[in-house]
Amino acid sequence: ENSKLIEKSYIKEKFTTTTISTQHQTIDFPYNRLFEKKILDIIKEGRVEELNEFSIIQDEEEASLLSKSSYIRSVKNHIITLITLVSRASIDGGLQANIAIPLHDGFIQQLEELNRLDDIRNFAGDALHEFTKKVNQNKNDYFSKTITSCKNFICLNIYENISHSDIAEKVNLSPKYLSILFKKEVGMTVSDYIQQKKIEEVKKLLTYSNTPISEICSLLNYNDQSYFTKVFKKLVGTTPKQYRERSHLLDK
């Protein structure tokens, strides 16, 4: 009996080792973790415009095969995995589970009915866009049109040296009244929100690029790098350098 258990364990280990070894021999990095993280961040934040910049499904020669019987089956398997991850990201982004889960199930059912590769690829993009739009709508539903305009203005001009007065002028309100309204709806001051969004942008640059930290500091209009580091550590819990190291994108 013990011999049978040992034999079963050996067979399982042999299968796992052989599978991994075969993948390494035949495919060059089929699983792009950084690409996946970037896509999921975009969906979680509801950034519809940025999603247009990405090719959702890798080309045939780059995709890992999840089905030996059919390449189309393999692509479908990839998309099912992606839709599952995306539905979870949309929930993390604030979309109600009772919306995200039926969307997830419905998209997979529709996907299984498709048989043409072009239709399958286009469907994947449509599904991701729909999740992203739902997250975006959900985020904006909590705020008045005025505050939504303020938030959009801040995001679109995050690399500019925007001020409280600039935003008040944009939405035709006095700075004082905007302060009251913004704090009431968003739960923080306009200045704190700008700071938060700038640091979020810094995190993206640290994760997805090798731009020097000093240059990032300048790009986001922080004139004092020590102050910038202090603000970043206060909001994120680590220094910019430590954050980049954790993302494994630091130049070596």
Side-chain angles (χ1 to χ4, degrees), residues 149-167:
S149 295
C150 291
K151 292 174 69 182
N152 288 339
F153 180 78
I154 291 168
C155 289
L156 290 172
N157 295 277
I158 200 66
Y159 286 92
E160 304 299 325
N161 191 18
I162 50 176
S163 67
H164 186 122
S165 298
D166 294 331
I167 300 165

Side-chain angles (χ1 to χ4, degrees), residues 73-133:
R73 179 69 261 167
S74 186
V75 172
K76 282 186 177 182
N77 290 344
H78 274 287
I79 296 172
I80 289 170
T81 302
L82 188 59
I83 289 174
T84 300
L85 292 172
V86 164
S87 66
R88 292 173 185 170
S90 69
I91 292 172
D92 290 342
L95 188 64
Q96 296 92 331
N98 63 346
I99 295 176
I101 293 172
L103 267 181
H104 166 275
D105 295 346
F107 280 136
I108 290 177
Q109 289 171 9
Q110 292 176 54
L111 174 65
E112 292 295 0
E113 295 176 3
L114 301 176
N115 296 309
R116 288 172 51 82
L117 189 57
D118 287 346
D119 292 340
I120 292 169
R121 290 178 181 275
N122 291 334
F123 178 82
D126 293 341
L128 267 61
H129 272 85
E130 187 62 27
F131 273 109
T132 311
K133 284 193 293 184

Side-chain angles (χ1 to χ4, degrees), residues 26-71:
T26 59
I27 300 168
D28 293 327
F29 303 103
Y31 185 71
N32 191 331
R33 182 70 180 86
L34 181 59
F35 173 82
E36 175 198 292
K37 186 177 186 301
K38 201 166 185 178
I39 286 286
L40 296 183
D41 281 347
I42 287 172
I43 290 161
K44 187 163 63 176
E45 295 174 17
R47 305 199 310 269
V48 181
E49 299 81 5
E50 290 187 39
L51 198 61
N52 296 325
E53 300 174 10
F54 292 90
S55 173
I56 305 302
I57 304 300
Q58 294 174 304
D59 292 334
E60 180 171 352
E61 64 272 18
E62 295 177 353
S64 57
L65 295 178
L66 298 184
S67 170
K68 293 182 179 179
S69 60
S70 165
Y71 178 71

